[in-house]
């Protein structure tokens, strides 16, 4: 039997340290919300491969759709000999996207690629260069998306020079004393001090920050951004890569604010584990770049499109929007009970099943406990639970179980979390 230790040694020798691993357990197989490592150890998965598996690992309908596609057509390059399931995915996304304006969709493979292309489309449409993003944002690791990402370590330091004409403003974080008014004032200040709004192509925001720590943009703030963008002819890009596809109890998190994006980026849970991403936007804006200006060899692979169509069907037939709300309630109720026992839990926040807890010292938001957070991830893994940390201060645990998880497994996972919290706090 291959052991975790042996794979770890080979991994260290063969793969650069730049790609970090959260755990030293090597995944061998998985089903819905459970995963087994190469030594046969079972884990409950509250990470979903970083928010990719809203319909669970290897959902039978996704597996069947991909298997059927596998023997028909695996690649043709949409730019060369186009195929029908790409169009079908685009039609679905155009219908699902919020707002009344007619939409068009372009498919890609990764989240970063979708964000890069959204910026390209916004720039071409407006013939402007500037992009406004938020502190704590995560939009990817390519050169342009790394620039948009609002966290220096470990994402940007040493990788410059960065893309010019990108500006960051504070994201509203009530727990850390940043109000929506302050964020809006920072944008107005930016327009006075740094950049003419007439030179700004786009403003990009995650309605719920993902890697940044599951901070939730208040609906009225998102509506104010919509108005501000309209005032200045700036394209509002909503990044739904982590928050999309029923995670927050709506198909897309922006729906909670009733805002229509100009462009929206989606990826991750769109295709149940296969690499697929998209830019969905107002048709007129999407049509700005000329033929050949957008594309990619693998963009919108037929296999990934088959998986996406199955995912859309599962979200509807298994009522995952409602399920997401229910999972969110169950999580928040249990976490609030845990908060009574463990005062290290400073704040619990969430929308639908996009829930997180922030770990702090002395009950103070200003004293993030990154060390305890790291220890908790390892202690949870020792209990057989995969959890993910995040946050500008690396002190947030985010809960991203599949939305197809049963109540029993969710509760078993939370028992493991409680045991792990007991262990790490007892060592203090
Ligand atoms: C909100 C958001 N945007 C963009 C990305 C980048 O996606 P990818 O890692 O697929 O390039 C991520 C990835 O975590 C994300 O959470």
């Amino acid at each position: 039997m291959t052991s975790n230790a042996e794979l770890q040694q080979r991994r260290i020798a063969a793969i650069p340290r730049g790609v970090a691993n959260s755990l030293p357990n090597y995944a061998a197989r998985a089903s819905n919300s459970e995963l087994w490592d190469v030594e046969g150890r079972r884990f409950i998965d509250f990470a979903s491969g970083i928010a990719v598996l809203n319909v669970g690992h290897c959902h039978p309908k996704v597996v069947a759709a991909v298997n059927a596609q596998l023997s028909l057509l695996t690649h043709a390059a949409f730019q060369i000999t186009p195929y029908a399931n790409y169009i079908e995915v685009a039609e679905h996304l155009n219908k699902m996207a919020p707002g009344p304006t007619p939409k068009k969709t372009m498919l890609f493979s990764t989240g970063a690629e979708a964000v890069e292309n959204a910026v390209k489309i916004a720039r071409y449409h407006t013939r402007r260069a500037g992009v406004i993003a938020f502190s704590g944002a995560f939009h990817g690791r390519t050169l342009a998306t790394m620039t948009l990402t609002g966290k220096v370590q470990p994402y940007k330091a040493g990788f410059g020079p960065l893309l010019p004409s990108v500006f960051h403003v504070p994201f509203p974080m009530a727990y850390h004393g940043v109000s929506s008014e302050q964020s809006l004032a920072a944008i107005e200040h930016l327009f006075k001090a740094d950049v003419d709004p007439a030179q700004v192509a786009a403003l990009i925001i995650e309605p719920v920050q993902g890697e940044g720590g599951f901070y939730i943009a208040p609906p009225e703030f998102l509506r104010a951004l919509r108005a501000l963008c309209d005032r200045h002819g700036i394209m509002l890009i909503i990044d739904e890569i982590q928050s999309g596809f029923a995670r927050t109890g709506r198909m897309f998190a922006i729906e909670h604010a009733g805002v229509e994006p100009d462009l929206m980026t989606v990826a991750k849970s769109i295709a149940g584990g296969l690499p697929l991403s998209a830019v969905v936007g107002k048709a007129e804006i999407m049509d700005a770049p000329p033929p050949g200006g957008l594309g990619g060899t693998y963009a919108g692979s037929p296999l990934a499109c088959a998986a996406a169509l199955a995912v859309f069907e599962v979200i509807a037939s298994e009522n995952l929007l409602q399920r997401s709300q229910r999972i969110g309630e169950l999580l928040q109720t249990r976490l609030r009970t845990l908060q009574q026992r463990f005062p290290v839990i400073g704040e619990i926040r969430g929308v639908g099943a996009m829930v997180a807890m922030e770990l702090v010292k002395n009950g103070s938001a200003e004293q993030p406990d990154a060390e305890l957070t790291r220890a908790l991830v390892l202690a949870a893994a020792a209990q057989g639970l995969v959890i993910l940390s995040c946050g500008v201060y690396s002190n947030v645990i985010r809960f991203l179980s599949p939305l197809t998880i049963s109540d029993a497994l969710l509760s078993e996972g939370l028992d493991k979390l409680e045991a792990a919290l007991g262990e790490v706090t007892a060592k203090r």
Side-chain angles (χ1 to χ4, degrees):
M1 182 182 69
T2 318
S3 71
N4 286 311
E6 183 199 328
L7 285 170
Q8 183 69 0
Q9 269 188 2
R10 285 170 52 197
R11 181 255 183 269
I12 290 169
I15 296 162
R17 63 186 189 138
V19 50
N21 303 116
S22 186
L23 299 176
N25 297 82
Y26 286 77
R29 67 189 172 88
S31 172
N32 197 352
S33 306
E34 293 167 287
L35 181 147
W36 288 264
D37 77 5
V38 289
E39 294 176 8
R41 233 176 102 64
R42 168 184 174 263
F43 294 85
I44 294 176
D45 190 0
F46 277 9
S48 291
I50 327 184
V52 169
L53 300 160
N54 286 0
V55 303
H57 287 274
C58 301
H59 191 288
K61 286 186 178 165
V62 175
V63 171
V66 174
N67 270 334
Q69 184 64 42
L70 199 53
S71 50
L72 289 175
L73 180 80
T74 58
H75 179 76
F78 189 74
Q79 285 138 270
I80 310 304
T81 42
Y83 37 89
N85 66 5
Y86 184 122
I87 301 170
E88 245 182 287
V89 170
E91 287 169 346
H92 274 277
L93 289 172
N94 293 341
K95 272 202 210 98
M96 284 176 194
T101 316
K103 306 290 191 309
K104 285 196 177 182
T105 288
M106 167 100 206
L107 301 181
F108 300 97
S109 304
T110 67
E113 208 185 353
V115 173
E116 290 262 349
N117 279 280
V119 170
K120 278 174 65 176
I121 295 165
R123 281 186 164 180
Y124 202 97
H125 177 73
T126 58
R127 300 299 174 132
R128 304 172 179 183
V131 186
I132 299 172
F134 286 84
S135 310
F138 186 86
H139 297 295
R141 297 169 187 273
T142 57
L143 276 168
T145 59
M146 163 181 83
T147 308
L148 297 173
T149 286
K151 188 175 174 186
V152 172
Q153 294 287 358
Y155 303 126
K156 305 209 258 201
F159 295 120
L162 304 172
L163 196 73
S165 309
V166 170
F167 306 90
H168 284 93
V169 289
F171 190 91
M173 297 159 113
Y175 187 55
H176 292 281
V178 184
S179 67
S180 298
E181 291 71 29
Q182 284 166 322
S183 291
L184 289 169
I187 301 176
E188 294 301 345
H189 179 76
L190 187 76
F191 292 159
K192 290 232 167 358
D194 287 317
V195 63
D196 177 357
Q199 296 304 317
V200 177
L203 181 148
I204 182 164
I205 185 166
E206 298 155 88
V208 183
Q209 282 196 332
E211 307 301 304
F214 280 26
Y215 296 103
I216 304 156
E220 63 280 6
F221 176 71
L222 293 166
R223 289 193 284 271
L225 290 182
R226 178 66 279 174
L228 178 135
C229 286
D230 288 343
R231 252 191 332 273
H232 296 291
I234 296 170
M235 298 297 101
L236 179 62
I237 305 176
I238 299 295
D239 184 344
E240 291 272 1
I241 288 169
Q242 191 149 162
S243 55
F245 299 104
R247 173 56 54 188
T248 68
R250 297 287 188 96
M251 192 58 84
F252 302 108
I254 191 66
E255 291 172 38
H256 294 282
V259 162
E260 180 173 18
D262 295 309
L263 298 167
M264 183 171 83
T265 52
V266 296
K268 291 194 185 275
S269 272
I270 186 176
L274 273 85
L276 188 70
S277 66
V279 182
V280 190
K282 293 180 179 167
E284 188 206 342
I285 301 167
M286 291 294 291
D287 268 331
L294 306 173
T297 305
Y298 293 110
S301 140
L303 287 174
C305 287
L309 293 172
V311 166
F312 301 158
E313 199 280 315
V314 170
I315 290 175
S317 63
E318 298 188 17
N319 297 318
L320 294 188
L321 299 183
Q322 288 91 318
R323 183 63 190 151
S324 172
Q325 296 283 9
R326 180 73 189 131
I327 289 172
E329 286 159 15
L330 292 170
L331 272 172
Q332 293 225 25
T333 306
R334 182 71 184 272
L335 291 176
R336 285 187 202 289
T337 311
L338 291 183
Q339 195 177 27
Q340 304 301 314
R341 188 178 154 199
F342 302 107
V344 289
I345 304 178
E347 190 182 56
I348 295 154
R349 52 180 175 264
V351 203
M354 193 161 184
V355 173
M357 65 179 187
E358 184 149 349
L359 303 179
V360 296
K361 293 177 195 157
N362 306 315
S364 162
E366 301 323 312
Q367 296 182 49
D369 203 337
E371 205 184 310
L372 185 81
T373 308
R374 175 77 196 131
L376 183 61
V377 170
L378 295 176
Q383 297 284 340
L385 174 70
V386 184
I387 49 173
L388 271 182
S389 64
C390 63
V392 191
Y393 309 106
S394 309
N395 69 322
V396 178
I397 297 290
R398 52 181 151 170
F399 297 93
L400 284 167
S401 79
L403 304 176
T404 47
I405 195 170
S406 65
D407 284 0
L409 270 187
L410 187 66
S411 166
E412 189 188 339
L414 289 166
D415 291 345
K416 291 176 186 294
L417 178 77
E418 181 164 4
L421 268 167
E423 202 182 298
V424 292
T425 50
K427 287 185 187 147
R428 288 292 168 108

